[in-house]
Amino acid sequence: MSRRDKARPSSSGKRSQKSNDILLRRWAGRKPVLAAGDDESYEEVPRPSQPKRLCHYLEVLYEKRGSNREEALASIIEVLTCRLENDYLEENFASFLYRGLNSLKIGSSKEKQLSLHVIGLLAIIICCEDKLSEVYRVLLPVLSESLKSGTTTSKMLNCLAIVGFFGSTNSEETEGAMQIIWKFIHPESVNDVNTKKHSPEVLVAAIYSWLFLLTSMEGWRLSHNSWNGAVCYFSNLLEHGDKLVRVAACEALVLIFETGSLDKFWKEAKDHGSYSHMQQSLRENVLKKLKCFYWDTRSENIPRSENITKKVCEVVNYFESFQCLGTSLTINGKDLKLSSWYQMIQLQFLKNFLNDGFKIHMKENEKLQHLFEFNPRRIKNLGPELYVSTTDKITVRFFLPEERNAETLTKENKKKERVWRNSLLEKARTQLMSKHRRMSEEMNCCDYD
């Protein structure tokens, strides 16, 4: 049979073949569902992508595109705010530090701010003293030059304070960081002819950064000649046009009083005789200015003024009684109580730097826990401990509920409460005696050669 005699396929056959091809292509990318009873009788479902880790963001910091580095730095800040990642940071410390410095030198304004925040977090989290000392040695010259160049930001000052606080190994290094900030705050103290007036926002950030470093210093360690003009300078700032600057000056004077070394901050100290006369003289001068400031803030009905008024009221109370009212904060169900002004400044500074991550760091960061003498795992109200001195290792701990308010109880209920609490004590005492008896029996059964 010739090719011409062969039957041609019908048009319906072509359409059928075309439909089959479409169906095959449509099902080509699908996973088959296996029959029930087979070992792999499930349809594979695509898994959601895993969140990127710090190692990925660290690799991006080596890229040339600045926008990519900005995103990576922002992501690193987000990660370290939520969790500490101590081990990874310790292992890759140098990479984080020097890539951050690279961004600080060549990056855009936004990239520089983000890199400063990352380096600050690095100083807060890293525990190795040698590595912290390296952060201090490397960063201080860079930030010192940046402050002189006139491109100062609040983040730069905050980072300098954080690195000086956690990275310095002695009081001389801490005062070195303080000197850099002080020359920026008060350039007249070093006869700087290129004096530039700072914006209120930057000036406030500089003052609190300086105060944060001062909180780590004991009064007797402070230099006698470095801070002589501080009291006069902050007293003059009490008449500044911006209220937040005046509040910062108030807190600076309080902290100087609290150091117990007023003579190291005041040139005219010798003119006032004894130390108590010196305190009294300055106290009267400060209170006179503060009371005028207090009534000015009370006359303004805006939320910002309410916070300022509260702070000024606390300062006035301190100078009247020389006692700090203190504050408290609940973290993980435990109370963090602060009773001195230097602790309140430390708390506020770190809260502003860490933002929402402050409570997380207080739960996990041992450095901050040690700083504030806070133990998030401390158990309250353990009750009395029954202890037998003759057998050192036999103790009984038990929970004794707090007593109810006696004023709300009847005479009969008071008696029931007393009997109930005594029964708990007797039960614990019986358990202790049973433990002691069992141990004595075991010791008597032993044969000692």
Side-chain angles (χ1 to χ4, degrees), residues 56-58 60-61 67-77:
H56 168 78
Y57 301 127
L58 182 57
V60 177
L61 294 183
S67 58
N68 291 350
R69 295 197 304 268
E70 286 179 14
E71 292 178 6
L73 288 167
S75 299
I76 291 170
I77 293 170

Side-chain angles (χ1 to χ4, degrees), residues 63-272:
E63 295 185 6
K64 292 183 178 180
R65 188 182 293 274
S67 58
N68 291 350
R69 295 197 304 268
E70 286 179 14
E71 292 178 6
L73 288 167
S75 299
I76 291 170
I77 293 170
E78 185 178 355
V79 171
L80 296 182
T81 300
C82 299
R83 57 183 188 272
L84 270 60
E85 298 284 357
N86 302 68
D87 295 338
Y88 189 78
L89 286 180
E90 293 281 357
E91 292 172 3
N92 300 274
F93 157 77
S95 299
F96 278 101
L97 174 60
Y98 289 100
R99 295 320 299 172
L101 285 172
N102 180 68
S103 294
L104 185 59
K105 291 177 181 178
I106 68 171
S108 64
S109 177
K110 180 180 178 182
E111 186 178 349
K112 289 179 180 179
Q113 305 311 305
L114 293 170
S115 65
L116 287 167
H117 200 112
V118 169
I119 293 173
L121 288 170
L122 199 66
I124 291 175
I125 296 172
I126 290 290
C127 295
C128 176
E129 291 186 4
D130 292 338
K131 292 175 180 177
L132 288 171
S133 182
E134 184 177 352
V135 177
Y136 177 93
R137 291 195 310 271
V138 170
L139 196 68
L140 247 66
V142 175
L143 293 183
S144 179
E145 288 301 318
S146 298
L147 290 176
K148 292 176 183 176
S149 68
T151 57
T152 308
T153 62
S154 301
K155 188 68 71 177
M156 188 179 296
L157 292 160
N158 292 341
C159 180
L160 176 56
I162 292 287
V163 170
F165 188 94
F166 292 102
S168 58
T169 56
N170 52 54
S171 58
E172 288 79 10
E173 290 186 350
T174 305
E175 282 199 283
M178 290 174 65
Q179 280 283 3
I180 294 173
I181 299 175
W182 182 248
K183 290 174 184 177
F184 173 81
I185 294 174
H186 188 40
E188 292 85 354
S189 62
V190 290
N191 300 319
D192 189 352
V193 294
N194 298 317
T195 302
K196 180 182 177 181
K197 190 175 181 180
H198 308 303
S199 67
E201 179 187 1
V202 172
L203 182 56
V204 168
I207 292 172
Y208 280 114
S209 297
W210 186 80
L211 292 179
F212 182 65
L213 288 169
L214 180 58
T215 61
S216 67
M217 295 288 294
E218 296 176 350
W220 63 274
R221 291 184 180 274
L222 290 163
S223 169
H224 283 273
N225 302 317
S226 299
W227 320 111
N228 282 334
V231 167
C232 293
Y233 176 76
F234 289 125
S235 296
N236 292 334
L237 282 186
L238 292 178
E239 299 175 357
H240 194 278
D242 188 88
K243 289 182 171 59
L244 290 179
V245 174
R246 293 162 77 177
V247 169
C250 289
E251 295 205 69
L253 290 169
V254 172
L255 187 60
I256 288 172
F257 264 73
E258 200 173 63
T259 62
S261 300
L262 188 57
D263 52 317
K264 295 183 179 180
F265 295 90
W266 198 10
K267 288 180 180 178
E268 294 78 10
K270 296 179 180 178
D271 301 335
H272 297 276

